[in-house]
Amino acid sequence: MSKTFKSPHVDDRRDFAKLVERTSKAMVKHLTERPSQPVDCSNPPDHIGDELANLTLPADGMAADDILAFFEDKLMPWSMPTNHKHSYGWVNTSPAPISILGDSLAKTLNNGQDGYDHSTVFLMHSLGRWLMELSGFVASDGTPDGMAILLGGGSAANLNGLTVARYWAAKRDGWSIREEGLQGNHPAMTYYTSAEAHSSVQRCVEQMGIGAKYLRKIDTDDNFRMRPDALREAIEADLAAGLRPACVVASVGSTNVGAIDPLDDIADVCDAFDVWLHVDGAYGGIVGLDPAYTEMTSGMSRVNSLTLDPHKWLQVPVDCGAVLVRDRQLNHENYTLVPDYLRAASTEEGSIPWPCEHMFELTFGDRAMKTWAAIARMGRGGVRDMVVNCNNVARRLGAIIEGADDLELLAPVSVSTVNFRYVPVGSSLSAEELDTLNQRISDRIVESGEGHVPTTKVNGAVSIRACVLHYENSEDDADHLIELVRKFAT
Ligand SMILES: Cc1ncc(COP(=O)(O)O)c(C=O)c1O
């Protein structure tokens, strides 16, 4: 006689209130204790790492309480530095508490965001407009314009935008990239970005079959911004060589130094040569909310597609990227392929667009609830004040550095990013020795548990790079970081 199967999930559903109570205690413990823990406590001791990497598959199911205890003991104590306000290195931030809850509820509902007219697909429609308002991705009359979808991050969002650009360029020339791929006899497409652009731009171009050889890394000016004159020259040279300039990728907040490319001038070049303009604003796409940056980013209204990363400045738990595309129809044409088994209703004709018809993935999780919650909790004014606050802390850091004899600013402060190094007063250290010293300062700060401020390179020199993105940062943190640098310099 066969034994009747009974899933343990039935018991867990019955006991869910008790399990949630225990889980919520662990969440509260983490959020309350994290600020006083070492900033980087992400690496478990070797024996725990070994244990975690070599677990045996249990023959019989574990008790739910044992599973929660395992999480509490073996995983939760080790969390990334980004969960701490003295972490300045990586630009995904501590999640907004309400967003954690939005995410938990989304997981409970388990509604994919791919399509069907369910609640969060409708919510996504409003959220898209909110993201457009916050980033200035609006029509010339100031109204939100286009559609937004949420993906895994900035890299995925860039890929989406750049594939729509490729489809558009081919269509403009009278052929279909979906039909022919890159196998037809058409002029090779060229893409353009600055030498400061995020590495994901090159990865996209490689994976799209354009090839790194056809990605022009345009020179930058002294402030690390793409030079529109150099862009124009590069496009003209490619046209003269019989190539097809297809897309420019500008940055609003380059990863390394927070540079903002001159969008209006770049848009003029794109208009003149009929080239798609994509902006990678994964980091700084909402910086225009700060009046100090509004003019610099006014060209957003002329952009064809835009990447934002709500898991950066908007303090949404990873993962969450967003791509905004002005021409929803074109985005749809590039991706839609609905098999019969999913053709439950027309999705474009007068109905809410289904995200899966505007991107590559089909089934994927709802990121709208957590993103909506993070923004709704702040409102437009709150998001603006938070952006201004982070920029003010960065400006304070910059002012301290500029006024100090032993510190040197290596790039202008931009989009809450500060690049600097320690140079001992009266120092006769070589460039190499300064690099070693600054790398050591950064390493020692991380080892001390008092901060997390990794290095990058600026003009070939090792630079301590601080990005201010935490919702709790204040100007005191600028003073604290400088104290740390000096403390570990000696
Ligand atoms: C400007 C910029 N673009 C793209 C990315 C890639 O984003 P993600 O890591 O979310 O894929 C980053 C990541 O830091 C970034 O700073």
Side-chain angles (χ1 to χ4, degrees), residues 91 152-156 158 198 200 253-255 280 282-283 309 311-312:
V91 287
S155 308
N158 278 339
H198 188 260
S200 59
S254 65
T255 314
D280 181 355
Y283 178 7
D309 243 355
H311 66 206
K312 294 189 166 62

Side-chain angles (χ1 to χ4, degrees), residues 57-92:
L57 172 65
D60 298 310
M62 293 167 65
D65 270 323
D66 291 345
I67 288 177
L68 294 179
F70 175 84
F71 289 153
E72 288 163 21
D73 297 345
K74 301 284 164 65
L75 295 158
M76 291 205 63
W78 325 114
S79 99
M80 297 285 282
T82 42
N83 270 17
H84 198 288
K85 76 166 182 158
H86 289 151
S87 167
Y88 303 100
W90 299 326
V91 287
N92 46 321

